[in-house]
Amino acid sequence: MLLAVLLCVLWHFQISAGHFPRACASSQNLIEKECCPPWIGDGSPCGQLSGRGSCQDIFLSSAPFGPQFPFTGVDDRESWPSVFYNRTCQCSGNFMGFSCGNCKFGYWGPNCTQKRILVRRNIFDLSVPEKDKFLAYLTLAKHTISANYVIPTGTYGQMKNGSTPMFNDVSIYNLFVWMHYYVSRDTLLGGSEIWKDIDFAHEAPGFLPWHRLFLLLWEEEIRQLTGDENFTIPYWDWRDAENCEICTDEYMGGRHPTNPNLLSPASFFSSWQIVCSRIEEYNSRQVLCDGNPEGPLLRNPGNHDKARTSRIPSSSDVELCLSLTQYDSGSMDKSANFSFRNTLEGFANPVSGIANDSQSSMHNALHIYMNGTMSQVQGSANDPIFLLHHAFVDSIFEQWLRRHRPLQEVYPEANAPIGHNRDSYMVPFIPLYKNGDFFISSRDLGYDYSYLQDSDPDFFQTYFEPYLEQARQIWPWLLGAALVGAALAAALVGLTSLLCHHKRKQLPEEKQPLLTEKEDYSSLLHQSHL
């Protein structure tokens, strides 16, 4: 009942954000290759009149990629986003967004000057109203058409180089499902030919920064959609879990009583239709996912291939993974050894750090364990458990960053698989973001994790650093004020002593009062305060 009421209240909000801005989906934009929409605040492109940003050429990194993708000029995602646009809004200061109308992560206010840190919490620590609100937000996003963004249903070539735009409307939730599909889809080579060994968000260094940005944008969408400025994604701490603790009707959906591959009819998600899951069909037809419904959400946790994934990862697995000092290594793909990224992603054994193609551990293990929609890379974001799972994976990434404190130069500048170099723009995001921009602490991006706050030795410094910095900047003024105050106090005390001594000389000894008169006492008391 509470969920229904929340949905009715929230249904009035219709704001969104995501991939291809609707304002940049016309043939004129595609032919001119420019995406610089006006900011609604002043009507100028990129809010230029208000100093928010300006329309500028895109400068692509020239750093070489690894040998995993042997083609050039066959995939729209190469040198992103130059196939579609070569001019976009470049925002200044703390402004962000495809028209510079939003604030950078971690800032808010009308001029984006106020810094804040929001906290992602364990889903089991949420109160019942908080948990129900989260489920209502998910459902609202699933059924609200994005007002600002559309998805392309064809390649740039199929659009006749932009002269025939091919775009569809999509719901806010499905927009993000589509993005996860698009970034990991196979390359269409024409005819019946495809190339599978390509992924712009997995199996390489960009895995963790890409999903970090993905969650941040998803949170931002929900805040705009609902007006809830303090919303954060909860996480599921799956360490040492013996089963899918969140797979109940109270949370993310229980098992169907007669069909173990479906969700319980009592679950909010049993009526959900998934999108972008028919990968072989798209490949055979040489088409893209168009966002249309493709059937119910599938999940059968625990009835997976035990030979590939024996169990849910343990606390020991996480700790061993965190002990690896190299972010990435070797070929920087799924064969990398002693790589923190490759081990956390699940292609290497956390005990040894050695890559093993026949086993799936850590992040991959949870996907395999769910045994359904979550187990297919390109369509996995259809299952809302995806958000809870990746929030916890991101928290492990955050632990590694805090423990090892790497410089940004630790993230590889060159020779990573295509799209994964430090200065490569992440597919398929517009506005543009680089991989290396998210190889920083979550607190610099405006969020933290509840279980990391309690164990963080730098917690005090982190939250009081702005005040300490202000004190360092003004301490000479404070010292000067203290010295002037001390000199004035000394002068007042001296003057008072002189006056009192003069007064005592005027009175006979027997007429001098034992106590100071009330007015004099008050005056001295006032002077002592000064």
Side-chain angles (χ1 to χ4, degrees):
M1 181 63 183
L2 178 57
L3 285 175
V5 172
L6 280 169
L7 282 173
C8 291
V9 171
L10 296 172
W11 205 265
H12 299 286
F13 296 93
Q14 303 288 321
I15 304 172
S16 172
H19 178 46
F20 278 76
R22 191 181 294 273
C24 299
S26 70
S27 58
Q28 179 180 352
N29 289 110
L30 293 171
I31 291 172
E32 295 178 355
K33 291 196 171 186
E34 182 174 290
C35 183
C36 296
W39 174 50
I40 193 173
D42 62 15
S44 66
C46 313
Q48 185 169 1
L49 293 178
S50 300
R52 285 179 167 256
S54 60
C55 190
Q56 297 182 19
D57 293 338
I58 294 169
F59 293 98
L60 300 173
S61 169
S62 60
F65 294 116
Q68 293 86 352
F69 187 67
F71 306 97
T72 301
V74 298
D75 194 308
D76 291 344
R77 300 168 295 180
E78 298 176 50
S79 301
W80 180 262
S82 60
V83 169
F84 293 98
Y85 308 107
N86 53 33
R87 284 174 63 80
T88 62
C89 287
Q90 304 294 309
C91 305
S92 57
N94 295 329
F95 300 115
M96 187 183 78
F98 64 80
S99 65
C100 301
N102 299 331
C103 298
K104 280 185 177 180
F105 302 116
Y107 291 89
W108 69 297
N111 296 313
C112 303
T113 55
Q114 302 174 54
K115 191 166 178 56
R116 64 174 181 177
I117 294 180
L118 300 178
V119 179
R120 292 177 180 170
R121 299 161 57 200
N122 190 319
I123 190 167
F124 292 119
D125 290 339
L126 302 182
S127 66
V128 172
E130 289 172 332
K131 181 262 299 176
D132 287 347
K133 183 171 66 173
F134 170 61
L135 300 180
Y137 286 178
L138 287 169
T139 304
L140 180 62
K142 183 71 173 179
H143 295 96
T144 302
I145 297 298
S146 172
N148 293 335
Y149 282 82
V150 291
I151 59 170
T153 58
T155 65
Y156 194 71
Q158 290 168 345
M159 295 184 197
K160 298 180 180 179
N161 297 328
S163 62
T164 307
M166 299 170 62
F167 294 95
N168 272 0
D169 287 336
V170 68
S171 77
I172 294 170
Y173 189 96
N174 288 349
L175 173 67
F176 282 84
V177 175
W178 192 94
M179 283 193 278
H180 195 264
Y181 146 79
Y182 186 81
V183 75
S184 57
R185 70 174 178 84
D186 302 326
T187 293
L188 307 177
L189 296 174
S192 60
E193 297 297 315
I194 60 168
W195 181 264
K196 286 183 174 289
D197 192 16
I198 185 170
D199 196 313
F200 289 80
H202 303 85
E203 303 178 13
F207 166 68
L208 293 168
W210 191 94
H211 286 84
R212 169 164 282 195
L213 172 61
F214 183 85
L215 295 182
L216 281 166
L217 289 173
W218 199 90
E219 283 178 330
E220 189 64 27
E221 286 311 296
I222 297 300
R223 291 179 194 131
Q224 292 187 39
L225 172 66
T226 63
D228 185 350
E229 288 295 326
N230 296 313
F231 170 78
T232 56
I233 297 171
Y235 62 86
W236 173 33
D237 185 346
W238 35 250
R239 291 175 296 183
D240 305 314
E242 296 182 359
N243 52 54
C244 183
E245 304 163 330
I246 55 174
C247 296
T248 65
D249 289 339
E250 183 184 1
Y251 286 92
M252 310 311 291
R255 198 186 302 272
H256 194 283
T258 60
N259 187 340
N261 293 314
L262 297 177
L263 299 185
S264 162
S267 165
F268 236 67
F269 308 108
S270 63
S271 62
W272 277 29
Q273 288 283 305
I274 63 174
V275 298
C276 303
S277 64
R278 298 175 180 171
I279 311 306
E280 297 306 319
E281 178 186 332
Y282 310 146
N283 288 345
S284 64
R285 294 171 50 205
Q286 296 280 301
V287 299
L288 301 184
C289 164
D290 58 12
N292 287 321
E294 297 176 349
L297 184 62
L298 303 177
R299 191 193 301 154
N300 192 352
N303 292 324
H304 60 287
D305 182 1
K306 303 295 196 303
R308 186 169 189 82
T309 298
S310 60
R311 56 175 173 77
I312 294 175
S314 66
S315 299
S316 176
D317 293 333
V318 172
E319 191 56 38
L320 289 167
C321 182
L322 286 167
S323 69
L324 295 169
T325 58
Q326 295 184 82
Y327 178 71
D328 224 326
S329 61
S331 55
M332 295 178 282
D333 54 21
K334 62 182 180 181
S335 65
N337 295 322
F338 310 114
S339 157
F340 164 74
R341 186 276 313 163
N342 201 38
T343 305
L344 177 54
E345 192 169 356
F347 294 108
N349 189 317
V351 176
S352 65
I354 302 298
N356 187 345
D357 229 5
S358 66
Q359 299 288 309
S360 292
S361 60
M362 301 301 290
H363 153 265
N364 289 348
L366 256 293
H367 282 278
I368 299 297
Y369 177 86
M370 289 301 165
N371 193 31
T373 305
M374 266 276 281
S375 301
Q376 180 197 66
V377 175
Q378 295 175 16
S380 58
N382 277 291
D383 193 328
I385 289 178
F386 178 98
L387 298 168
L388 309 182
H389 170 44
H390 271 275
F392 190 65
V393 170
D394 182 74
S395 78
I396 299 174
F397 176 36
E398 182 61 23
Q399 285 190 70
W400 187 86
L401 290 171
R402 295 185 190 183
R403 181 176 301 188
H404 299 282
R405 300 183 181 277
L407 298 175
Q408 196 172 46
E409 286 72 23
V410 167
Y411 189 99
E413 181 183 18
N415 301 316
I418 186 169
H420 288 264
N421 284 343
R422 185 196 309 158
D423 291 327
S424 294
Y425 291 117
M426 287 190 266
V427 177
F429 303 114
I430 298 174
L432 305 178
Y433 305 93
K434 295 178 180 179
N435 289 303
D437 293 340
F438 295 84
F439 192 70
I440 58 177
S441 172
S442 68
R443 291 176 298 204
D444 294 328
L445 296 167
Y447 73 99
D448 203 346
Y449 289 93
S450 56
Y451 82 102
L452 297 185
Q453 288 181 319
D454 299 335
S455 60
D456 186 2
D458 296 328
F459 177 74
F460 179 86
Q461 181 180 352
T462 297
Y463 284 93
F464 286 91
E465 184 66 29
Y467 304 102
L468 294 174
E469 180 61 29
Q470 290 179 22
R472 281 194 290 269
Q473 292 175 0
I474 65 173
W475 75 266
W477 298 97
L478 294 175
L479 179 60
L483 291 174
V484 171
L488 286 173
L492 287 172
V493 169
L495 180 61
T496 302
S497 176
L498 181 63
L499 291 173
C500 290
H501 181 69
H502 179 69
K503 186 175 182 179
R504 281 195 299 268
K505 281 187 175 181
Q506 290 180 335
L507 291 173
E509 185 175 349
E510 66 274 16
K511 291 188 178 180
Q512 290 179 8
L514 296 176
L515 294 176
T516 309
E517 292 293 330
K518 183 177 179 181
E519 289 152 356
D520 292 336
Y521 177 80
S522 299
S523 175
L524 288 175
L525 182 62
H526 178 62
Q527 292 167 16
S528 69
H529 285 316
L530 287 175

